[in-house]
Amino acid sequence: MMSAHAENIPTPAATPAPVGKVADKTAADALDRDSECTRCHDENEIKPILSIYQTAHGNKADSRTPSCQSCHGESEKHLSGKSAAPDVVFGATSGAYSPSEVNEQNTACLTCHEKDPTRTHWQGGAHQVADVACSSCHVSHTAHDKVRDKKTQPDVCFTCHKEQRAQTRKFSHHPITEGKVACSDCHNPHGSAGPKMLAKNTVTETCYTCHAEKRGPFLWEHQPVTEDCTNCHTPHGSNITPLLNSRAPFLCSECHDGPHRSTNPAAGSAAGTQGGLTAVPSENFTGRACLNCHSLVHGSNHPAGALLQR
């Protein structure tokens, strides 16, 4: 029988858990088994594992930080030492274990990341519909995720988008390969309400993010400019500066038919003058073609600029 004095003796405090990976699994937190995982999985793996502790996913000072099981599942059979795969295996290629279904992989990621407003349109987006896994672009077990770095991001995107890679090598292009512009500056890879997964709702809104001087409003507007910049420009690259779909006057002639009522549109002198009902310079034989006169193609604020000449 205990004495009254013995009943007042405080119970000794629990021994604090050691700091670091070994402390990841405690009696009070059976869900966190990082220490069990890192006994086998370390930097000797084909894909280094411990580098995750250099990322936000391995920051144990943050209560939001996931454990190995948060992403890979409970994986009881795998932890028991049997040759069973973890519940969720990430990646696209077969290694020691076959990768899980894309939807299963993405569900593990979206458990935390779908709360971000930039991923609102992931469901039903082009990448989700095409069965693109998060791990196809992102690498979580490394301090440097290439797709999140402006200089290396295009290399990840070009793995699939090879046509766009070829276009960025053309004479006139956005400085993507130079590391000044990244794909995510214009596109939202996690889905968008606009076409082509653009960051904004329309092409023009996206372009105006950088090219604000083309936005206007103008007293005299050029209709194709307000409709869609890609009516005249190709965004990834062209051999015609500045990123034009074709050269003037041929580009202009796609909408404006007839060379100023000339009776001899295919002829001209070295000076570029044609005879006809109205003697005007031939857009076919002058350096800047239509732009020699109609230079303000994006719009004019001059009272006499109805023809975008001033």
Side-chain angles (χ1 to χ4, degrees), residues 74-248:
E74 294 292 332
S75 305
E76 293 291 345
K77 293 182 179 179
H78 183 72
L79 289 171
S80 66
K82 299 178 181 179
S83 58
D87 293 347
V88 182
V89 180
F90 295 90
T93 57
S94 298
Y97 305 107
S98 298
S100 302
E101 294 292 332
V102 170
N103 185 54
E104 190 176 0
Q105 294 184 44
N106 290 347
T107 299
C109 300
L110 292 172
T111 301
C112 297
H113 292 289
E114 71 177 349
K115 300 173 184 177
D116 192 315
T118 60
R119 298 177 183 87
T120 302
H121 299 285
W122 170 259
Q123 299 296 340
H127 281 156
Q128 189 267 336
V129 171
D131 282 338
V132 175
C134 303
S135 56
S136 299
C137 304
H138 293 280
V139 181
S140 58
H141 285 270
T142 180
H144 180 233
D145 189 358
K146 289 184 177 181
V147 79
R148 299 187 65 197
D149 187 327
K150 178 172 283 191
K151 293 184 178 180
T152 56
Q153 182 187 102
D155 294 333
V156 178
C157 300
F158 291 158
T159 302
C160 297
H161 302 283
K162 301 184 186 301
E163 180 181 353
Q164 284 70 28
R165 177 176 59 185
Q167 291 173 339
T168 60
R169 301 300 197 274
K170 292 184 177 181
F171 173 76
S172 179
H173 61 270
H174 275 120
I176 298 173
T177 55
E178 291 80 3
K180 296 181 179 180
V181 174
C183 304
S184 58
D185 289 336
C186 300
H187 300 277
N188 183 352
H190 301 108
S192 168
K196 304 292 185 181
M197 294 199 297
L198 290 173
K200 301 294 184 179
N201 290 330
T202 64
V203 174
T204 51
E205 286 182 58
T206 304
C207 297
Y208 290 158
T209 303
C210 296
H211 304 282
E213 75 282 2
K214 306 295 191 299
R215 178 169 49 200
F218 296 107
L219 179 61
W220 305 103
E221 293 183 333
H222 197 185
Q223 185 176 350
V225 177
T226 59
E227 287 179 350
D228 192 326
C229 299
T230 57
N231 285 329
C232 300
H233 300 278
T234 177
H236 296 102
S238 169
N239 284 328
I240 306 169
T241 187
L243 289 90
L244 291 175
N245 292 326
S246 61
R247 298 184 184 278

